[in-house]
């Protein structure tokens, strides 16, 4: 099958599963945004164009350097892409990628919050939007704030002027079975609900970025408003 057709088919299948899971939990089918994780593709891969041809404009990248290269490549084509930084963001990459990123999913330290805030100010950019990454499974290999510390982070956020926090992001535990994953997603949603009344003005808890190829239906059922799906979209495609 040709790449364009295969990707369009894969996209429809993923979107159908998203609406199905949303409806089953009493939510509107369009209440969930699909971020297509394009980190597996080279910038000039046809599959990138296939995603855009299918009107998939929210693209997620893990490495800041790759996001930058792709954003520069596609900016020449005046594309409608919204880039999502979903992987670890090193402080020395912040200045370069900020002008290109619509949402940083992976804010995992007070230092990173402060660095983003300072650089947005220095560069006179519009306020940066981000999510706080939560280490919900407690895996030692996972990044993110511990749910217990997050309350102190709100204090830091309240002092920042150039950043807007829109919600939380999490990844389920590497070794968690489905039942535990579902519990981790539910725990992240409950944490967001608990933080809502405590948030300073530049912070709200309306976005929940959770769920990947092998668990996004569970995440949607537990309240995800953004899912980050990669490998499933490229199923059956040769790179
Ligand atoms: C790679 C990645 C994804 C997508 O994972 P798939 O299993 O390919 O769907 C989602 N979120 C993050 C943070 C990632 O690094």
């Amino acid at each position: 099958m040709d790449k364009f057709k295969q990707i369009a088919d894969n996209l429809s299948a993923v979107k159908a599963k998203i609406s199905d899971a949303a409806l089953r939990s009493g939510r509107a089918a369009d209440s969930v945004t699909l971020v297509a994780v394009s980190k597996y593709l080279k910038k000039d891969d046809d599959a990138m164009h296939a995603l855009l041809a299918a009107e998939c404009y929210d693209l997620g990248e893990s490495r800041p350097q790759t996001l930058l290269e792709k954003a520069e490549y596609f900016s020449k084509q005046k594309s409608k892409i919204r880039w999502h930084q979903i992987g670890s963001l090193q402080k020395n990459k912040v200045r370069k990628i900020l002008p290109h990123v619509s949402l940083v999913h992976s804010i995992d330290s007070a230092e990173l919050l402060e660095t983003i805030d300072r650089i947005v100010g220095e560069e006179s950019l519009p306020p940066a939007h981000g999510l706080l990454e939560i280490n919900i499974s407690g895996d030692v290999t996972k990044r993110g704030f511990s749910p217990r510390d997050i309350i102190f982070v709100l204090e830091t956020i309240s002092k920042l002027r150039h950043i807007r926090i829109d919600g939380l992001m999490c990844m389920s535990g590497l070794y968690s079975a489905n039942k535990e994953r579902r519990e981790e997603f539910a725990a992240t949603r409950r944490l967001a609900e608990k933080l809502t009344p405590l948030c300073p003005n530049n912070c709200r808890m309306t976005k929940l970025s959770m769920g990947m190829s092998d668990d996004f239906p569970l995440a949607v059922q537990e309240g995800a408003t953004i899912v980050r799906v990669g490998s499933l979209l490229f199923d059956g495609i040769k790179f």
Side-chain angles (χ1 to χ4, degrees):
M1 207 193 295
D2 96 336
K3 251 187 197 179
F4 274 63
K5 174 89 172 72
Q6 180 77 64
I7 286 191
D9 285 0
N10 292 353
L11 258 172
S12 322
V14 168
K15 284 184 181 163
K17 282 189 186 158
I18 292 173
S19 19
D20 203 51
L23 294 174
R24 242 182 297 154
S25 55
R27 299 162 64 209
D30 63 359
S31 58
V32 183
T33 301
L34 168 64
V35 171
V37 176
S38 53
K39 68 184 181 191
Y40 306 105
L41 308 173
K42 294 212 168 65
K43 63 185 175 192
D44 56 357
D45 192 309
D46 284 348
M48 292 293 292
H49 294 282
L51 287 172
L52 301 177
E55 299 188 355
C56 191
Y57 299 125
D58 286 281
L59 300 184
E61 286 292 327
S62 199
R63 296 182 54 238
Q65 185 60 32
T66 315
L67 187 151
L68 179 66
E69 283 164 19
K70 286 184 180 169
E72 284 175 344
Y73 180 80
F74 282 96
S75 71
K76 296 191 191 90
Q77 312 179 16
K78 302 216 187 320
S79 81
K80 301 178 186 163
I81 302 176
R82 290 177 292 268
W83 293 102
H84 296 251
Q85 172 62 37
I86 62 171
S88 179
L89 175 56
Q90 300 80 20
K91 278 176 273 176
N92 62 0
K93 296 281 166 37
V94 170
R95 195 179 301 274
K96 278 196 166 156
I97 73 154
L98 269 187
H100 303 285
V101 174
S102 74
L103 187 63
V104 180
H105 292 230
S106 47
I107 299 180
D108 59 357
S109 71
E111 295 76 43
L112 182 56
L113 278 165
E114 285 161 347
T115 303
I116 294 175
D117 187 71
R118 173 173 56 77
I119 290 176
V120 172
E122 287 170 5
E123 302 281 328
S124 306
L125 294 168
H129 284 261
L131 306 176
L132 304 174
E133 181 168 353
I134 307 296
N135 183 357
I136 201 70
S137 65
D139 284 7
V140 285
T141 56
K142 288 260 193 292
R143 293 169 298 110
F145 295 104
S146 107
R148 281 181 306 278
D149 295 344
I150 199 76
I151 202 109
F152 305 107
V153 180
L154 297 182
E155 166 90 27
T156 305
I157 295 169
S158 71
K159 296 181 188 131
L160 306 178
R161 294 176 27 233
H162 307 290
I163 195 159
R164 305 282 180 268
I165 294 302
D166 295 333
L168 305 180
M169 180 271 224
C170 78
M171 295 212 252
S172 55
L174 203 51
Y175 304 106
S176 301
N178 278 350
K179 187 163 170 287
E180 295 158 278
R181 286 183 185 212
R182 189 160 181 164
E183 187 41 48
E184 287 160 2
F185 295 139
T188 305
R189 185 198 62 231
R190 287 194 300 268
L191 182 61
E193 287 163 0
K194 192 177 105 187
L195 295 175
T196 298
L198 308 171
C199 274
N201 283 339
N202 55 350
C203 175
R204 50 195 189 147
M205 288 289 141
T206 51
K207 292 185 178 169
L208 284 178
S209 168
M210 47 191 206
M212 312 186 357
S213 285
D214 50 5
D215 55 18
F216 70 93
L218 291 177
V220 170
Q221 286 188 52
E222 290 303 338
T225 68
I226 305 176
V227 293
R228 310 176 309 270
V229 179
S231 24
L232 207 55
L233 295 178
F234 309 117
D235 209 26
I237 286 172
K238 293 206 180 64
F239 294 110

